[in-house]
Amino acid sequence: MTSKNMQQLGDLDEVDHELVRLLIGNARMTNADLASAAGIAQSTCITRVRSLVSRGVIAGFSANVEPAALGLATQVLISVTLRAGARAHLSDFMTAMQNQPEVVQVFFLGGSEDFMVHLAVKDSDQVREFVLENLSSNATVASTRTNMVFEHFHKGPLV
């Protein structure tokens, strides 16, 4: 994102913030309903939403799916530390993780670990397979630590 776009992100007014808040609550809201809830004209609403998208404030619209409903009842968070000499491969590692179907999210961290990889899988056997095939066999990975997710709460993006 360019510095010009970053400046535009800070230029949000109360109406923009309200539109974002409403869309976080229901991204499938019609333009008519969104305009009514925000107290603006429909033409103004669609123009502002398009502007929020083009400026990168709204990165996309998606459905939140419950992994267990898809047979993915096991979720884990894997902390990954890369070898000191492998720092040049941070981007490659991130891309490799993003391309794995089991990966829900990947976070690049500042701190003692380099990445947090969030998996949604069928069972612990799939976790073991993922770790062996994608992490333990990866020459850039120094260590991993796996934590089971027993329960989660998804609020959505912060506003």
Side-chain angles (χ1 to χ4, degrees), residues 57-114:
V57 175
I58 297 175
F61 300 88
S62 63
N64 292 326
V65 177
E66 181 57 46
L70 300 175
L72 306 174
T74 302
Q75 293 191 58
V76 297
L77 299 173
I78 305 172
S79 302
V80 179
T81 303
L82 299 186
R83 297 189 188 284
R87 299 291 182 232
H89 300 286
L90 292 171
S91 180
D92 295 335
F93 181 84
M94 175 72 90
T95 301
M97 291 300 101
Q98 290 172 331
N99 289 331
Q100 298 304 316
E102 305 92 340
V103 174
V104 177
Q105 301 177 92
V106 181
F107 299 96
F108 176 50
L109 307 173
S112 59
E113 286 110 5
D114 296 308

Side-chain angles (χ1 to χ4, degrees), residues 16-158:
D16 290 329
H17 282 283
E18 180 65 5
L19 291 172
V20 170
R21 186 188 69 73
L22 289 165
L23 287 169
I24 287 172
N26 180 5
R28 295 186 59 162
M29 183 179 274
T30 66
N31 185 63
D33 290 341
L34 183 60
S36 176
I40 58 176
Q42 289 182 33
S43 59
T44 301
C45 184
I46 195 72
T47 300
R48 281 181 173 256
V49 170
R50 286 180 179 156
S51 174
L52 291 167
V53 170
S54 70
R55 295 182 330 185
V57 175
I58 297 175
F61 300 88
S62 63
N64 292 326
V65 177
E66 181 57 46
L70 300 175
L72 306 174
T74 302
Q75 293 191 58
V76 297
L77 299 173
I78 305 172
S79 302
V80 179
T81 303
L82 299 186
R83 297 189 188 284
R87 299 291 182 232
H89 300 286
L90 292 171
S91 180
D92 295 335
F93 181 84
M94 175 72 90
T95 301
M97 291 300 101
Q98 290 172 331
N99 289 331
Q100 298 304 316
E102 305 92 340
V103 174
V104 177
Q105 301 177 92
V106 181
F107 299 96
F108 176 50
L109 307 173
S112 59
E113 286 110 5
D114 296 308
F115 293 95
M116 181 70 67
V117 181
H118 177 192
L119 301 182
V121 294
K122 186 176 105 181
D123 55 28
S124 62
D125 289 339
Q126 277 194 301
V127 174
R128 184 178 58 248
E129 287 175 30
F130 181 88
V131 170
L132 291 173
E133 293 175 14
N134 297 287
L135 301 175
S136 297
S137 65
N138 187 327
T140 63
V141 174
S143 66
T144 64
R145 188 178 69 220
T146 302
N147 294 286
M148 294 286 295
V149 176
F150 294 122
E151 194 172 330
H152 74 284
F153 168 75
H154 178 78
K155 180 179 180 180
L158 300 177

Side-chain angles (χ1 to χ4, degrees), residues 1-11 54-57:
M1 185 172 285
T2 67
S3 60
K4 181 180 177 185
N5 285 347
M6 290 300 289
Q7 181 182 14
Q8 289 175 335
L9 292 177
D11 294 339
S54 70
R55 295 182 330 185
V57 175

